[in-house]
Amino acid sequence: MPDPVRVRFAPSPTGALHVGGARTAVYNWAFARRHGGVFVLRIDDTDPGRSTTENTAQILRSLEWLGLDWDEGPEVGGPFGPYFQTQRSGNYATALERMKANGTAYPCFCSMEHLESRRAVARAAGGDPGYDRTCRRLDPADAAQRVEAGEPHVWRLAVPAGRGDIVVRDAVRGETVFPAEAMDDFILVRGDGTPTYNFATVVDDADMQISHIIRGDDHLSNTPRQILVYEALGRPVPLFAHLSMIWGADGKKLSKRHGATSVEAFREEGYLPEALLNYLALLGWSLDGETTIVPAEVLKRQFSLDRISKSPAVFDFEKLDWMNGVYIRDVPPETFAARMVPWLEAAGLANPGDLEARPEWYVALAPLVRERAKRMTDIAPMVAFLFTDHVALEPSATSRVLGREGAGRVLAAAHDALSSLKTWTAATVEETLRTLPESLQTKAKTVFQVARVAVTGSMVSLPLFESIALLGRERTLARLEVARSATTH
Ligand code: GLU
């Protein structure tokens, strides 16, 4: 393992952070943590039309939410900054100078039209449509003079004659050989002076002393070109790990059609960051082939490149839901209370300050909800009946349960029995209601169902006695009364 391990996540801020990018970030972060290395965040904002500060902000927010802290990058700085490519033009200029000096970069004055017509001819002959190296044959002194005179030009890499095939050594895919003939003298710096992706990335990765490049395999075809740039700069080539694509269940590249794909969307849909982090980690990596619950702490200790899979990973929304439920149930009640309140506020149920006003009430509610929620968005509908004076009785429940023979009697008796209760707890409520079936000569199930509909408005709800305890005496009695007047028997 090269020392020190330095890895980077280098998103282009042209949109939200999606699961593919997020998984790349997770692997880089986990790898750095595992080896006591450095996780760098670099913003590849070289596409001026599509890069926005809002996108950058959203990417940072998503990474922070997932708990992926970076050691160098935006907001934290670091010894190799700045960490935005648009602020690193000096580095690209220096690198180009070096390549000019050692003869590995040359100016090209070919016009678009010229290039197009050459390409068409080459294609017609069934040849390689890459650049035909016209300008590489110019006399260097002449070329320098034309540059000096301000003639429009780009800078190209001079692929060394006789370089031979380029072998990409990859921790996931082993060796991939790219034939030298397939490498044309590609552009490093455009006519407007901006660096191309393959050039800027290598200059930055080299300057930032990146030891391992872990990224999506959509970049694999760029890698041989990047290796040539490292060689031209005389810098060591890092180790690569290219990650396979993420598919939807239908075997097509994961996209919006399949469901949420941005980290922000998963957050809004009520997934816990620790669950999503665990899920993303297992999208193409495994601890031991069977363990599914792999929290951040374990990842930080045990993540390794050799357990990354070569085959595409399939995003399974059901499995994520399941995993989210596991993590939800694992949150201690006090913490869960604090984490659920923002969702209740967003739904207009709770108000800021409510949690502080009655923490025990929320802590008592937390375990009831935790057992039943797959996502945080499930919570508000489940508890809404506790936050209103007048519960809406579901019509079907009303007609089926409250319309039943004897419902009125049950409600009157429940009201009577509960109104004389001295201490109002789930246990005392339960004890009281359990005496009713016998005195009313009816089934326990009937009593509880009638009471449930009256109090919660629905036939499916949080546990009855706890619900009544949390709802409080006044509201419970009022609801039993309202429901009784709605009964026909
Ligand atoms: N900005 C590039 C991207 O988002 C980085 C690719 C790389 O990791 O080299 O795809």
Side-chain angles (χ1 to χ4, degrees), residues 311-322:
S311 24
V314 176
F315 200 99
D316 179 345
F317 287 86
E318 270 174 38
K319 187 167 169 193
L320 173 60
D321 276 355
W322 167 81

Side-chain angles (χ1 to χ4, degrees), residues 166-178 220 223 239-242 305 308 310:
I166 296 148
V167 182
V168 175
R169 293 194 175 76
D170 187 286
V172 179
R173 339 188 127 243
E175 292 190 351
T176 313
V177 179
F178 291 84
L220 183 61
T223 305
L239 294 165
F240 292 95
H242 285 94
L305 296 180
I308 295 178
K310 258 194 266 201

Side-chain angles (χ1 to χ4, degrees), residues 113-129:
E113 297 74 38
H114 172 84
L115 294 174
E116 261 317 312
S117 67
R118 285 311 186 90
R119 230 174 257 147
V121 171
R123 254 190 236 116
D128 172 20

Side-chain angles (χ1 to χ4, degrees), residues 77-95:
F80 298 92
Y83 294 90
F84 289 82
Q85 285 195 321
T86 45
Q87 296 169 22
R88 300 179 63 82
S89 44
N91 294 57
Y92 310 133
T94 306

Side-chain angles (χ1 to χ4, degrees), residues 8 10-12 42 44 197 201 205 213-215 218-219 226:
R8 72 350 181 237
S12 303
R42 184 179 74 225
D44 284 2
Y197 158 70
T201 290
D205 289 336
I213 293 190
I214 305 170
R215 63 181 171 199
D218 47 335
H219 284 293
Q226 295 183 9

